[in-house]
Amino acid sequence: MISFLNDYSEGAHPAIMQALQDTNLVSTIGYGLDEYCALAADRIREAVQSDHAQVHFLVGGTQANRVLISSALRPHEAVITALTGHVVDHETGAIEASGHKVLTIPASQGKLTPELAERIRAAHNSEHMVKPRMVYVSNSTEIGTFYSLQELEELSAYCRSHHMYFFLDGARLGSALTAPGNDVTLPDLARLTDAFYIGGTKNGALFGEALVLVNPALQQDFRHHIKQNGAMLAKGRLLGIQFAELFRDQLYFRIAAHANAMAALLKQAITEAGYSFMIDSNTNQLFPILPNEVLEQLRSRYLFSHWEKTSDTHSVIRLVTSWATAEEDVQAFAEELLAISGAAVSK
Amino acid sequence: MISFLNDYSEGAHPAIMQALQDTNLVSTIGYGLDEYCALAADRIREAVQSDHAQVHFLVGGTQANRVLISSALRPHEAVITALTGHVVDHETGAIEASGHKVLTIPASQGKLTPELAERIRAAHNSEHMVKPRMVYVSNSTEIGTFYSLQELEELSAYCRSHHMYFFLDGARLGSALTAPGNDVTLPDLARLTDAFYIGGTKNGALFGEALVLVNPALQQDFRHHIKQNGAMLAKGRLLGIQFAELFRDQLYFRIAAHANAMAALLKQAITEAGYSFMIDSNTNQLFPILPNEVLEQLRSRYLFSHWEKTSDTHSVIRLVTSWATAEEDVQAFAEELLAISGAAVSK
Amino acid sequence: MISFLNDYSEGAHPAIMQALQDTNLVSTIGYGLDEYCALAADRIREAVQSDHAQVHFLVGGTQANRVLISSALRPHEAVITALTGHVVDHETGAIEASGHKVLTIPASQGKLTPELAERIRAAHNSEHMVKPRMVYVSNSTEIGTFYSLQELEELSAYCRSHHMYFFLDGARLGSALTAPGNDVTLPDLARLTDAFYIGGTKNGALFGEALVLVNPALQQDFRHHIKQNGAMLAKGRLLGIQFAELFRDQLYFRIAAHANAMAALLKQAITEAGYSFMIDSNTNQLFPILPNEVLEQLRSRYLFSHWEKTSDTHSVIRLVTSWATAEEDVQAFAEELLAISGAAVSK
Amino acid sequence: MISFLNDYSEGAHPAIMQALQDTNLVSTIGYGLDEYCALAADRIREAVQSDHAQVHFLVGGTQANRVLISSALRPHEAVITALTGHVVDHETGAIEASGHKVLTIPASQGKLTPELAERIRAAHNSEHMVKPRMVYVSNSTEIGTFYSLQELEELSAYCRSHHMYFFLDGARLGSALTAPGNDVTLPDLARLTDAFYIGGTKNGALFGEALVLVNPALQQDFRHHIKQNGAMLAKGRLLGIQFAELFRDQLYFRIAAHANAMAALLKQAITEAGYSFMIDSNTNQLFPILPNEVLEQLRSRYLFSHWEKTSDTHSVIRLVTSWATAEEDVQAFAEELLAISGAAVSK
């Protein structure tokens, strides 16, 4: 079976495994205070062009979201997000479990705008309601789109003018930053957000997210919050070693670009076969609308997620590519889809 | 520098690294639902001789303690522990952050007894106070001692007679179970506790704790709690692969036995050099009392933790051994200590 | 100024003030363990025809909602409510602050149905999502409507078939139970819900809500939860004295019926003046749609809440009546409205 | 039966009942935004001589402690208190339920000192531990003692030098400020603390605590926190009316002085009868050590709390006086004690 289920189906990119192997017997201090974490943080500060940013390494995305949000907000403060935001329905209420309401609004293409955020903020104008204090966006989004520089500039300006934090979830940041049409850079994120994270789990690492705290107000005692949330890895070096490798020789971007390229091939094949998409995506997640009978045949050799029904005869599926996606597997899928579709059409 | 700082200073035991390498390109489902986790859970169920136990794999000890305790207790319920318990002062208030009071009592040798637990329980007899509902112990303890089978039998019987859960933190369980004088087995733990975990981080894994839920009352919806706490690893397989290896061919016990053997050599050397200990330990943590001038000399070549001052001239240090401790390094330490001590004595 | 702002603008019904005065110097035990609380609980158990129900007296509605919901749910469990539910946007995130997500869905007339609840429940089918475990409804609702017996029967059956608690917020229960067209009784509520509360604050008491716990699963250690939430009144007797009086000689129902009667007069006058309503209500809250110029004139002598704009020229306002609403004030309002409207029309 | 059980056994001081009666039919806005609350706050600001202090009225002491502490601290921050502090064991873990650890140390006479606080603070020096950020004291203390001005000055200076908040629980503040030997004033408290509250429940009110927020850092959005904790009274005016009365014509101090005077008579009688005290107190709580046979006889006519056994033959009891304690009842107790004791001695 060939899997397009997600971008965390295998272990790590071979270069990362090699780095872990090479350092395995070196003795270091624990809890992320080692030289590898220091090196990785330095490389990331250089990549984001922010000398004063703190870089903390966390194991996963839900953890990163929960630690950051709960450390930033006072008990009565809330976070604004698009209805499709990962924190809404895919983290088992982790943010609410830390005491904070998540305020949602439907957003076209999964992307929040100042207008949408303001609709929520303006409605929360009393002490009988929570106080919106943070805007949360994901880039790339949960449905494969990404923000333009101008969109992020506007959100950043909006947040600053309303004394709200701007936090960007970068679980799939690599894919966004290397997508055709993207005009955003890491230094842009450091300039425009208060905090963001650079996802490793979905971009070649065994695990790990590099949380960049740009705003000094979010930096104080942050390691206390990591520890309190059970998120401080004893062998913190593992995160440092991986991110030092990801940010050496552009590995992070090369991995993401490969995943995007594989997705582009899939997109091209699906388009050629005459099918459309729930939403247009240039990143490593595709959401084609396919006839159920085609899906049935594909399922015998390929793994992918059912997303939603669009009619009695058609469904949206999700295809995800990664560093581990082989071009030959993509081509096999493309050929099979064309063959099935031709057969389907000719029936 | 040779490090006796702790048992998580290096990467993983080579056999574990090899297992991770061997499986790296295999594609699996995420979040711990893969075949490796299933295999590891089966091996652990066999090792603990409990068909109905659930086995969940978590990344670290604070995480394991927090997820288990917060999922088991209602808001007004509290956990009883010896004052030296890891949850008291070494997890940045993680248990309190989940809403629960941690009730403490000083305990000789870091070991709780039914009498001590009952002193706390009996004092909490009103709705104006929290309700003790769980007893927490660590084995081996935070100061290197371990529980006898009879001690655990008594604690278990006490908990059951008072409708309290009995939870055992096994961050260093391997060292306890392989220590000279130990008479406790994994099946004993499955029989006597409601939940316990088998620590991997401090016994050769890159990271990972295998939480064994014996009591069905603690099993329901447990994966929801893991996810909510940000503790569900996307590539959950990493935990399965490691524990499957640890529980193949007794690797878990061989690693622990090695660490204990190295500690025994250190203990012998320290005793021969004429020094005593804060507490007698047969596990991989030693707490010798040494003259400050001896310590000063040792520090030029060895890393270890200062524990506490006992007088103006002497201090307790902590020495920890692990799978990575080389016998030649232990012998070098032994010889140097004898040499220094002889010199110190003859001065 | 004559106030139709709300039903808690004055002190208490004179009979309640008298009861407090009469008992003022009697010495009792604290924290609600006194004879007045016992008497009031007995009267309520009799009124709801449930011998085994626990009755707890709390100071206010947000408090009652928070204590009940947070004591009933495990950390990963959530509550389902209509989007207009009081717990959603009018309690400053009190439920989320206790760790639980509030799941909402727009509901016609502010009333939840099994179909709506099921839409939410069915969508939460994974450990990556919270688990819906309780259905919350208000009766009368936040927009003045009330549930029929059949509607409550259906919701109750739905909850039981899906292992969910059914909790009814009765902040304005008196008004619902005495409204023209109502066919629900207190014994119905005790039979159909797991817990509900009988609101005193908005029905003649100085303050106080009587929380009736019908389901034994919700009863255990409930006073611990009250205390932990800072909701246990030292002079708990004050609640007992008031509810004993409210449930003597049907005072509770007489007060509510008066408020409803006053609202009916207002409704009649508004209808006669030719205006319509945002929603049809037979309870003590009315939501007429009036021309802005009429509202402007009314504001010189009457207090009421602006609810929302319906157009550039019209707005919805909220009018609320209570035990303290005098018939002469209602008549004055009616006459003035007719006069203004005639003038408005003739312009 | 004559009760020395506590200072909240009756309703309210008659002047307060009168004020509530007099204002009962006045219509006001809800939630504490009314003119009575404004008046009471003004009177309190004048009494504490702090123009910029915020004054918030809460229903009870546990509520006041929980709202203040949880609004002031970030998640990893903790509060330091004497082991006898009310927040430790008498509020069902309310502080921990809001996520914060309570750090305790035994303190002579129930009074914290900078030395004791520093012992805790200095021990919490790592990100693996909570961060002490607030010092909590009660005045009068839970065992009847009170702080001198110099003691408070020292604690205040200590807190300020270590960037910690200083919070004073004044549930029985009236008794402390009017006790023989006291040299502290309300303006001193406003000068030395960051926040304190003036207890009404135990000093003549039906209920209510006036929380004075001196430090602007604690003031922002405080009403959000009140509401979120279910602590915002709909008829907030009830608190305003009572505190406006308590701070008119020194009623607050006259009530407290009466309670102290009654306690002083009891103390004199007990001393004359030849008995000693667990601790010397000049406030409205006494802790005499009496023979069990004497206690047995007293119990037929008097109510009081058993505090603890001191030997097989003697016990400590607690006697509490209040505004409602009648001098004739005190004298009756005194005479009976002397009579019993004489009999006991002569046996």
Side-chain angles (χ1 to χ4, degrees):
Chain A
M1 298 290 278
I2 295 167
S3 175
F4 298 109
L5 267 179
N6 57 45
D7 32 19
Y8 43 88
S9 295
E10 292 80 18
H13 187 278
I16 286 175
M17 287 305 289
Q18 191 60 48
L20 289 169
Q21 189 67 60
D22 290 348
T23 56
N24 190 51
L25 295 182
V26 178
S27 178
T28 66
I29 196 169
Y31 301 115
L33 299 173
D34 60 279
E35 66 236 56
Y36 299 110
C37 286
L39 174 64
D42 282 345
R43 287 184 179 163
I44 288 174
R45 267 187 292 266
E46 193 186 339
V48 306
Q49 293 176 20
S50 173
D51 288 352
H52 299 299
Q54 279 188 1
V55 181
H56 298 276
F57 299 104
L58 296 163
V59 167
T62 297
Q63 199 176 81
N65 288 333
R66 175 169 174 154
V67 177
L68 185 280
I69 294 173
S70 68
S71 79
L73 301 184
R74 294 183 65 203
H76 66 303
E77 295 176 339
V79 58
I80 297 175
T81 171
L83 188 55
T84 43
H86 199 264
V87 291
V88 179
D89 273 337
H90 291 82
E91 302 186 353
T92 320
I95 306 308
E96 289 87 353
S98 77
H100 302 283
K101 197 176 184 76
V102 177
L103 299 166
T104 62
I105 191 160
S108 162
Q109 299 200 302
K111 295 199 285 181
L112 206 63
T113 64
E115 292 66 37
L116 294 171
E118 178 59 13
R119 225 180 286 167
I120 295 180
R121 199 197 63 82
H124 287 79
N125 55 1
S126 135
E127 62 215 16
H128 295 258
M129 297 179 175
V130 294
K131 183 171 179 174
R133 185 70 202 289
M134 181 183 280
V135 164
Y136 164 97
V137 300
S138 301
N139 200 33
S140 61
T141 71
E142 293 75 6
I143 53 173
T145 55
F146 57 84
Y147 285 85
S148 71
L149 181 56
Q150 187 179 332
E151 288 168 340
L152 293 179
E153 297 265 11
E154 288 171 6
L155 277 165
S156 177
Y158 169 73
C159 288
R160 282 171 189 173
S161 72
H162 287 89
H163 192 50
M164 291 199 289
Y165 295 122
F166 185 25
F167 171 45
L168 186 144
D169 173 334
R172 290 193 174 97
L173 185 57
S175 185
L177 297 188
T178 58
N182 167 69
D183 62 351
V184 174
T185 65
L186 284 176
D188 288 332
L189 297 182
R191 179 172 54 85
L192 297 173
T193 74
D194 297 287
F196 67 100
Y197 72 85
I198 302 171
T201 302
K202 293 171 177 170
N203 197 47
L206 280 180
F207 54 85
E209 322 294 314
L211 182 57
V212 182
L213 304 183
V214 186
N215 185 336
L218 301 181
Q219 296 178 350
Q220 195 192 3
D221 297 338
F222 196 78
R223 284 176 56 84
H224 282 77
H225 295 267
I226 295 176
K227 178 69 182 178
Q228 186 177 71
N229 278 276
M232 189 175 279
L233 200 58
K235 299 180 182 178
R237 59 191 270 157
L238 300 172
L239 293 158
I241 293 164
Q242 293 184 86
F243 273 95
E245 187 66 22
L246 285 168
F247 279 82
R248 189 170 66 86
D249 289 345
Q250 305 284 320
L251 178 61
Y252 187 77
F253 298 99
R254 287 186 280 127
I255 285 173
H258 171 79
N260 285 349
M262 294 302 101
L265 290 179
L266 285 172
K267 183 179 175 181
Q268 186 182 356
I270 292 162
T271 305
E272 284 175 5
Y275 301 116
S276 63
F277 293 82
M278 177 186 81
I279 190 157
D280 184 42
S281 163
N282 286 333
T283 66
N284 72 326
Q285 296 188 89
L286 300 177
F287 298 85
I289 305 168
L290 295 176
N292 295 339
E293 58 186 21
V294 168
L295 291 174
E296 207 170 319
Q297 291 184 64
L298 288 173
R299 275 207 185 85
S300 64
R301 294 198 42 213
Y302 301 95
L303 296 170
F304 46 81
S305 309
H306 178 267
W307 196 255
E308 64 183 29
K309 277 178 59 174
T310 56
S311 72
D312 283 353
T313 58
H314 286 69
S315 296
V316 178
I317 63 166
R318 185 181 74 155
L319 300 172
V320 190
T321 56
S322 78
W323 63 273
T325 305
E327 186 164 346
E328 68 215 47
D329 290 340
V330 170
Q331 279 168 344
F333 179 92
E335 285 162 21
E336 184 149 346
L337 179 63
L338 282 168
I340 295 170
S341 305
V345 166
S346 66
K347 270 207 287 196
Chain B
M1 297 290 278
I2 295 168
S3 174
F4 297 110
L5 267 179
N6 58 46
D7 32 20
Y8 43 88
S9 294
E10 292 81 18
H13 186 277
I16 287 176
M17 287 305 288
Q18 190 60 48
L20 289 169
Q21 189 67 59
D22 291 347
T23 56
N24 191 51
L25 296 181
V26 178
S27 177
T28 66
I29 196 169
Y31 302 115
L33 300 172
D34 60 277
E35 64 235 56
Y36 300 110
C37 286
L39 174 63
D42 282 346
R43 286 185 180 162
I44 287 173
R45 267 188 291 267
E46 194 187 338
V48 307
Q49 293 177 19
S50 172
D51 288 352
H52 300 298
Q54 279 187 1
V55 181
H56 298 278
F57 300 105
L58 296 162
V59 167
T62 297
Q63 199 177 80
N65 288 333
R66 177 169 172 155
V67 178
L68 185 282
I69 294 173
S70 68
S71 80
L73 301 185
R74 295 182 66 203
H76 66 303
E77 295 175 341
V79 58
I80 297 175
T81 171
L83 187 56
T84 43
H86 199 264
V87 291
V88 178
D89 273 335
H90 291 81
E91 302 185 355
T92 321
I95 306 309
E96 289 87 353
S98 77
H100 302 284
K101 198 177 183 75
V102 176
L103 298 166
T104 61
I105 191 161
S108 163
Q109 299 201 302
K111 295 198 286 182
L112 206 63
T113 64
E115 292 66 36
L116 293 172
E118 178 59 14
R119 227 181 284 168
I120 295 179
R121 200 197 63 81
H124 287 78
N125 55 1
S126 136
E127 62 216 14
H128 295 260
M129 296 178 176
V130 294
K131 184 171 176 174
R133 186 70 201 289
M134 181 184 279
V135 163
Y136 164 97
V137 300
S138 302
N139 198 33
S140 59
T141 71
E142 292 77 5
I143 52 173
T145 55
F146 57 84
Y147 285 84
S148 71
L149 181 56
Q150 187 178 333
E151 288 168 339
L152 293 180
E153 296 267 12
E154 287 171 4
L155 277 165
S156 177
Y158 169 73
C159 288
R160 283 171 188 173
S161 71
H162 286 88
H163 193 50
M164 291 199 289
Y165 295 122
F166 184 26
F167 171 44
L168 186 143
D169 173 335
R172 290 195 173 97
L173 184 58
S175 185
L177 297 188
T178 58
N182 167 69
D183 60 353
V184 175
T185 65
L186 283 176
D188 289 332
L189 296 183
R191 179 172 54 85
L192 297 174
T193 74
D194 296 286
F196 68 99
Y197 71 86
I198 302 171
T201 301
K202 294 174 177 168
N203 197 47
L206 280 181
F207 54 85
E209 323 294 314
L211 182 57
V212 181
L213 303 183
V214 186
N215 185 337
L218 301 181
Q219 296 178 351
Q220 198 194 358
D221 296 338
F222 195 78
R223 283 175 56 83
H224 283 78
H225 295 267
I226 295 177
K227 178 69 182 176
Q228 185 176 72
N229 279 277
M232 189 175 280
L233 200 57
K235 300 181 182 178
R237 61 192 268 157
L238 300 173
L239 293 158
I241 292 163
Q242 292 184 85
F243 273 96
E245 187 66 24
L246 284 169
F247 279 83
R248 189 171 66 87
D249 290 345
Q250 305 285 318
L251 179 61
Y252 188 77
F253 297 100
R254 285 185 283 127
I255 285 173
H258 171 78
N260 285 349
M262 294 302 101
L265 290 180
L266 285 173
K267 182 178 174 180
Q268 187 182 355
I270 292 162
T271 306
E272 285 176 6
Y275 301 116
S276 63
F277 293 82
M278 178 186 82
I279 192 158
D280 185 42
S281 162
N282 286 334
T283 66
N284 72 325
Q285 294 188 92
L286 299 177
F287 297 86
I289 304 167
L290 295 177
N292 295 340
E293 58 186 21
V294 168
L295 292 174
E296 206 169 320
Q297 292 184 63
L298 288 172
R299 277 206 183 85
S300 64
R301 294 196 44 212
Y302 301 95
L303 295 170
F304 46 81
S305 310
H306 177 267
W307 196 256
E308 63 183 30
K309 278 178 59 174
T310 56
S311 72
D312 282 353
T313 57
H314 286 68
S315 297
V316 178
I317 64 166
R318 185 180 77 154
L319 299 172
V320 190
T321 56
S322 78
W323 64 273
T325 305
E327 185 164 348
E328 69 217 45
D329 289 340
V330 169
Q331 278 167 345
F333 180 92
E335 284 162 23
E336 184 149 346
L337 179 64
L338 282 168
I340 296 171
S341 306
V345 166
S346 67
K347 271 208 289 198
Chain C
M1 298 289 279
I2 295 168
S3 175
F4 298 110
L5 268 179
N6 57 46
D7 32 20
Y8 43 88
S9 294
E10 292 81 18
H13 187 278
I16 286 175
M17 287 306 288
Q18 192 59 49
L20 289 170
Q21 189 67 60
D22 291 347
T23 55
N24 191 50
L25 296 181
V26 178
S27 177
T28 66
I29 196 169
Y31 301 114
L33 299 172
D34 61 278
E35 65 236 57
Y36 299 109
C37 286
L39 174 63
D42 281 345
R43 286 185 179 162
I44 288 174
R45 266 186 293 266
E46 194 185 339
V48 306
Q49 293 176 20
S50 174
D51 288 352
H52 300 299
Q54 279 187 2
V55 181
H56 298 277
F57 300 105
L58 295 162
V59 167
T62 297
Q63 198 177 81
N65 288 333
R66 176 170 173 155
V67 177
L68 185 281
I69 294 173
S70 68
S71 80
L73 300 185
R74 294 182 66 203
H76 65 303
E77 295 176 342
V79 58
I80 296 175
T81 171
L83 188 56
T84 44
H86 199 264
V87 291
V88 178
D89 273 336
H90 292 82
E91 303 185 354
T92 319
I95 306 308
E96 288 88 353
S98 78
H100 301 284
K101 196 175 185 78
V102 177
L103 298 166
T104 62
I105 191 161
S108 163
Q109 301 199 305
K111 296 199 285 184
L112 206 63
T113 64
E115 292 67 35
L116 294 172
E118 178 58 15
R119 225 180 287 166
I120 295 180
R121 199 198 63 81
H124 287 78
N125 55 1
S126 136
E127 62 215 14
H128 294 260
M129 297 179 174
V130 294
K131 184 172 178 173
R133 185 68 202 289
M134 181 183 280
V135 164
Y136 164 97
V137 300
S138 302
N139 198 33
S140 60
T141 70
E142 292 76 5
I143 53 173
T145 56
F146 56 84
Y147 285 85
S148 71
L149 181 55
Q150 186 178 333
E151 289 168 339
L152 293 179
E153 296 266 13
E154 288 171 4
L155 277 166
S156 177
Y158 168 73
C159 287
R160 282 173 188 171
S161 72
H162 287 89
H163 191 50
M164 289 199 289
Y165 295 121
F166 185 24
F167 171 45
L168 187 142
D169 173 334
R172 290 192 173 99
L173 184 58
S175 185
L177 297 188
T178 58
N182 167 67
D183 60 353
V184 175
T185 64
L186 283 176
D188 289 332
L189 296 182
R191 179 172 54 84
L192 298 172
T193 73
D194 296 286
F196 67 100
Y197 73 85
I198 303 170
T201 302
K202 294 173 177 170
N203 197 48
L206 280 180
F207 54 86
E209 322 295 314
L211 181 58
V212 182
L213 302 183
V214 187
N215 184 337
L218 300 181
Q219 297 178 350
Q220 197 193 359
D221 296 338
F222 196 77
R223 285 176 55 83
H224 282 77
H225 295 267
I226 295 176
K227 179 69 183 177
Q228 185 176 72
N229 279 276
M232 188 175 280
L233 202 56
K235 299 181 182 177
R237 60 192 267 160
L238 300 172
L239 292 158
I241 292 164
Q242 293 183 87
F243 273 95
E245 187 66 22
L246 284 169
F247 279 82
R248 190 171 65 85
D249 290 344
Q250 304 286 318
L251 179 60
Y252 187 77
F253 298 99
R254 287 186 281 126
I255 286 174
H258 171 79
N260 285 349
M262 294 302 101
L265 290 179
L266 285 173
K267 182 178 174 180
Q268 188 182 356
I270 293 162
T271 305
E272 285 176 6
Y275 301 116
S276 64
F277 293 82
M278 177 186 82
I279 192 158
D280 184 43
S281 163
N282 285 333
T283 66
N284 73 325
Q285 295 188 92
L286 300 177
F287 298 85
I289 304 167
L290 295 177
N292 295 339
E293 58 185 20
V294 169
L295 291 175
E296 208 170 318
Q297 291 184 64
L298 288 172
R299 277 210 182 84
S300 65
R301 294 197 44 212
Y302 302 95
L303 296 170
F304 45 82
S305 310
H306 179 265
W307 196 256
E308 65 183 29
K309 280 178 55 172
T310 57
S311 71
D312 282 353
T313 59
H314 287 68
S315 297
V316 179
I317 63 166
R318 186 181 76 154
L319 299 172
V320 189
T321 57
S322 78
W323 64 273
T325 305
E327 185 163 349
E328 69 218 45
D329 290 341
V330 170
Q331 280 167 344
F333 179 92
E335 284 162 23
E336 184 148 346
L337 179 64
L338 281 168
I340 295 171
S341 306
V345 166
S346 67
K347 271 208 285 196
Chain D
M1 296 289 278
I2 295 168
S3 175
F4 297 110
L5 268 179
N6 57 46
D7 33 20
Y8 45 87
S9 295
E10 292 82 17
H13 186 279
I16 286 175
M17 287 305 288
Q18 192 59 49
L20 289 169
Q21 189 67 59
D22 291 347
T23 56
N24 190 51
L25 296 181
V26 178
S27 177
T28 65
I29 196 169
Y31 301 115
L33 299 173
D34 60 277
E35 65 236 55
Y36 299 111
C37 286
L39 174 64
D42 282 345
R43 287 185 178 160
I44 287 173
R45 267 188 292 265
E46 195 186 337
V48 309
Q49 293 176 20
S50 172
D51 288 352
H52 301 298
Q54 279 188 0
V55 181
H56 298 277
F57 300 105
L58 296 162
V59 168
T62 296
Q63 199 177 81
N65 288 333
R66 177 170 172 154
V67 178
L68 185 283
I69 294 173
S70 68
S71 80
L73 300 185
R74 295 182 67 203
H76 66 302
E77 295 175 341
V79 57
I80 296 176
T81 171
L83 188 56
T84 43
H86 199 263
V87 291
V88 179
D89 273 335
H90 291 83
E91 302 184 355
T92 320
I95 305 309
E96 287 89 353
S98 76
H100 302 284
K101 196 175 185 80
V102 177
L103 299 166
T104 61
I105 192 162
S108 163
Q109 299 199 305
K111 295 198 286 182
L112 206 64
T113 63
E115 291 67 34
L116 294 172
E118 177 59 14
R119 225 181 286 168
I120 295 180
R121 200 198 62 82
H124 287 78
N125 54 0
S126 135
E127 61 216 13
H128 295 259
M129 297 179 174
V130 294
K131 184 171 175 174
R133 186 70 202 288
M134 180 183 280
V135 163
Y136 164 97
V137 301
S138 302
N139 198 33
S140 59
T141 70
E142 293 77 5
I143 52 173
T145 55
F146 57 85
Y147 285 84
S148 71
L149 181 55
Q150 186 178 333
E151 289 167 339
L152 293 180
E153 297 265 13
E154 288 170 3
L155 277 165
S156 177
Y158 169 73
C159 288
R160 283 171 189 175
S161 71
H162 288 88
H163 193 49
M164 291 200 289
Y165 294 122
F166 184 24
F167 172 44
L168 186 143
D169 173 335
R172 290 194 173 97
L173 183 59
S175 185
L177 297 188
T178 59
N182 167 68
D183 60 354
V184 174
T185 65
L186 283 177
D188 288 333
L189 296 183
R191 180 171 53 84
L192 298 173
T193 73
D194 296 285
F196 67 100
Y197 72 87
I198 303 171
T201 301
K202 295 174 177 169
N203 197 48
L206 281 180
F207 54 85
E209 323 294 314
L211 182 57
V212 182
L213 303 184
V214 187
N215 184 337
L218 300 181
Q219 297 178 349
Q220 196 194 359
D221 296 337
F222 196 77
R223 284 175 56 84
H224 283 77
H225 295 269
I226 295 176
K227 179 68 182 177
Q228 185 176 72
N229 279 276
M232 189 175 279
L233 202 56
K235 300 182 182 177
R237 60 191 269 156
L238 300 172
L239 292 159
I241 293 164
Q242 294 184 84
F243 273 94
E245 188 66 22
L246 285 168
F247 279 81
R248 189 171 64 88
D249 292 343
Q250 304 285 318
L251 178 59
Y252 188 77
F253 298 100
R254 286 186 281 126
I255 285 174
H258 172 79
N260 285 349
M262 294 302 101
L265 289 179
L266 285 173
K267 183 178 173 181
Q268 185 182 358
I270 291 163
T271 305
E272 285 177 5
Y275 301 116
S276 63
F277 293 82
M278 177 186 81
I279 191 157
D280 185 42
S281 162
N282 286 334
T283 67
N284 73 326
Q285 296 188 90
L286 299 176
F287 298 86
I289 305 167
L290 295 177
N292 294 340
E293 60 186 20
V294 169
L295 291 175
E296 206 169 320
Q297 291 184 63
L298 288 171
R299 276 210 183 83
S300 64
R301 293 195 45 212
Y302 301 95
L303 295 171
F304 46 81
S305 309
H306 177 267
W307 196 256
E308 63 181 31
K309 279 179 57 173
T310 55
S311 71
D312 283 353
T313 58
H314 285 68
S315 297
V316 178
I317 63 166
R318 185 181 76 155
L319 300 172
V320 189
T321 56
S322 78
W323 63 272
T325 304
E327 185 163 348
E328 69 216 46
D329 290 341
V330 170
Q331 279 167 344
F333 179 92
E335 285 162 23
E336 185 149 346
L337 179 64
L338 281 168
I340 295 171
S341 304
V345 166
S346 67
K347 269 208 288 197

